[in-house]
Amino acid sequence: MTTENSQIENLQQQSLFKEIITGTQMLFVAFGALVLMPLLTGLDPNVALCTAGIGTLLFQLVTKGKVPVFLASSFVFIAPIMYSTQTWGIPATMGALAVVGGVYMCFSGLIKARGVGFISKYLPPIVTGPIIMVIGLSLAPVAVHMALGRTGDGSAELISQSVALSISLPALLTTLLVSAFSKGFMRLMPILSGITVGYLLSLYHGIIDFTPVQNAAWFAMPKFSAPEFNWQAIIYMLPIAIAPAIEHIGDILAIGSATGKDYIKKPGLHRTLFGDGIATTAASMLGGPPNTTYSEVTGAVMLTKAFNPRIMTWAACTAIIMAFVGKLGALLHTIPGAVMGGIMMLLFGLIASVGLGSLVKAKVDFDQPRNFIIFAVVLVFGIGGMALNLGGFSIQGISLCALVAIGLNLILPKDKLSN
């Protein structure tokens, strides 16, 4: 009997060890994208690691540990965070993002009370598609400036253009090739691969300063920051919650398809969206970027058949532990802007293509002038930088695009407009 108990205990230990290793592997898949977002927006990557772990654990708590997903930095918010931090500062931006998380939670309540039908009524693809496209296309100049060795706004040259291009273009090409031609596990890490190649080329050109890494402590508290609540920043950020909320539904459907389970019914879309919202609010309370379900990790789950949600618990715990490694954060800050610019040229284009893809997938009928009108106005307003001043308050960018798209969709008749 003792021998039998010992064998069971050994099997349990082996199973636990396998879960930990697989969870660490899942974090490795998400790592490149996870830290890229805070590096682009001026937030602390160690805080992002910590809040990704905390957010994932909160999500598991809300969904009763039934859904094998990992939550981390949302790319949809890159442009809004960049604008908001420059205009109102990081604390006000974090306060606005905390409210965005609250919007997710409100959405979850509506879904529980009324089902998902209201989403298709007020937020159909002709509304969300152009908005997502604007989010990606509005960032195109920033990506190009950084790829050319300039600051994001193009006002100053950091390194010569020739050196920058010899770094950014190979980083971009590597990301493209890994994404398009790699097989198996490598295909899930195009961003990390691109960053690695760009970083090695940066070392070759001698443009990386390791002094901050040498001076950093091995153990260091992440630079947490408290939010402040500024109504202008909040109003600017609120409409942006639409796109990731719709994206969340797609991710939950994807992971359900992989595991053969209907997570929309059990634990319920209202629970998963609430979990996403509470993870985003918790992250912003500590100075971290908003969280979202990661498609890269969903892809890894599909590839490895690692459907046990406990694996994500270990991924989350590993992220929290890594957040307190001071030298890791310092090393991440040494990644040159040219490397990130190369990755961003693909990344922001992909965001735009997701919006376009949603229109194609939904078979939006552009024979109807109403759809042309909504699409055209939203794109021109967003890319052109249209702004409206209402009672001393300026509304522009994604916020204006969202309001215009929703308004036009409700006002314009669904049949063809008469001459």
Side-chain angles (χ1 to χ4, degrees):
M1 191 70 179
T2 305
T3 304
E4 185 178 340
N5 288 338
S6 178
Q7 289 176 342
I8 293 173
E9 186 176 341
N10 287 335
L11 288 173
Q12 288 175 339
Q13 289 176 348
Q14 290 175 8
S15 177
L16 179 62
F17 180 74
K18 184 178 179 180
E19 285 181 11
I20 295 173
I21 294 299
T22 306
T24 304
Q25 184 175 255
M26 293 298 177
L27 176 62
F28 187 65
V29 170
F31 188 82
L34 194 166
V35 300
L36 180 63
M37 194 275 198
L39 289 172
L40 293 175
T41 55
L43 303 180
D44 189 287
N46 284 47
V47 173
L49 274 166
C50 187
T51 55
I54 292 172
T56 300
L57 294 177
L58 288 172
F59 179 89
Q60 288 192 321
L61 182 65
V62 171
T63 58
K64 300 179 180 180
K66 295 183 181 296
V67 189
V69 297
F70 184 81
L71 276 67
S73 314
S74 173
F75 283 167
V76 175
F77 285 92
I78 292 176
I81 290 176
M82 283 180 168
Y83 177 82
S84 183
T85 53
Q86 291 171 3
T87 307
W88 299 290
I90 289 179
T93 300
M94 293 298 106
L97 292 171
V99 176
V100 165
V103 171
Y104 291 169
M105 292 183 246
C106 291
F107 277 162
S108 73
L110 287 172
I111 289 172
K112 184 178 182 180
R114 302 181 58 183
V116 298
F118 83 96
I119 294 178
S120 59
K121 179 180 179 181
Y122 294 103
L123 301 173
I126 190 57
V127 170
T128 57
I131 293 171
I132 296 172
M133 290 181 69
V134 167
I135 291 172
L137 294 175
S138 63
L139 284 169
V142 176
V144 172
H145 286 316
M146 293 179 68
L148 292 174
R150 306 170 189 153
T151 55
D153 59 3
S155 61
E157 184 177 86
L158 302 177
I159 58 176
S160 69
Q161 182 172 314
S162 59
V163 171
L165 286 174
S166 69
I167 294 170
S168 61
L169 292 183
L172 170 61
L173 184 61
T174 300
T175 307
L176 290 170
L177 292 176
V178 171
S179 179
F181 297 108
S182 290
K183 295 181 180 180
F185 205 72
M186 272 300 295
R187 191 171 186 177
L188 302 171
M189 296 183 288
I191 292 176
L192 188 60
S193 301
I195 291 175
T196 301
V197 169
Y199 198 83
L200 291 174
L201 289 170
S202 300
L203 287 172
Y204 172 77
H205 287 286
I207 62 172
I208 296 177
D209 179 14
F210 285 106
T211 304
V213 181
Q214 295 171 353
N215 294 336
W218 278 104
F219 175 84
M221 184 70 68
K223 297 177 182 178
F224 297 118
S225 61
E228 295 176 1
F229 295 93
N230 180 307
W231 66 273
Q232 289 182 312
I234 290 170
I235 292 174
Y236 168 78
M237 198 70 72
L238 277 180
I240 299 157
I242 294 171
I246 299 299
E247 181 186 27
H248 172 89
I249 297 172
D251 286 340
I252 295 301
L253 288 171
I255 192 65
S257 176
T259 60
K261 296 182 179 180
D262 189 354
Y263 297 120
I264 299 294
K265 291 183 178 179
K266 188 177 182 180
L269 182 60
H270 63 286
R271 282 187 176 274
T272 63
L273 191 55
F274 190 92
D276 203 331
I278 200 170
T280 290
T281 297
S284 61
M285 289 296 180
L286 296 173
N291 284 315
T292 189
T293 49
Y294 256 35
S295 299
E296 296 95 327
V297 177
T298 298
V301 169
M302 294 177 181
L303 180 68
T304 61
K305 309 298 182 184
F307 299 146
N308 188 343
R310 285 200 303 271
I311 289 171
M312 299 306 166
T313 301
W314 293 112
C317 292
T318 304
I320 294 171
I321 292 170
M322 289 178 65
F324 289 86
V325 180
K327 287 191 180 295
L328 174 61
L331 180 65
L332 293 173
H333 278 293
T334 65
I335 300 174
V339 176
M340 293 188 286
I343 308 297
M344 288 163 63
M345 286 193 290
L346 173 63
L347 180 65
F348 298 153
L350 287 176
I351 294 174
S353 68
V354 167
L356 181 60
S358 68
L359 295 171
V360 174
K361 186 177 180 180
K363 298 181 180 178
V364 173
D365 183 9
F366 279 101
D367 284 337
Q368 290 196 35
R370 72 182 305 274
N371 292 336
F372 265 125
I373 291 170
I374 296 170
F375 184 83
V377 172
V378 170
L379 247 62
V380 172
F381 272 35
I383 299 173
M386 182 66 174
L388 297 177
N389 292 310
L390 305 171
F393 174 75
S394 177
I395 182 168
Q396 58 187 331
I398 311 300
S399 300
L400 180 59
C401 289
L403 294 177
V404 168
I406 293 171
L408 289 175
N409 180 62
L410 293 175
I411 293 170
L412 296 176
K414 295 195 180 293
D415 295 329
K416 293 183 179 180
L417 296 175
S418 57
N419 292 329

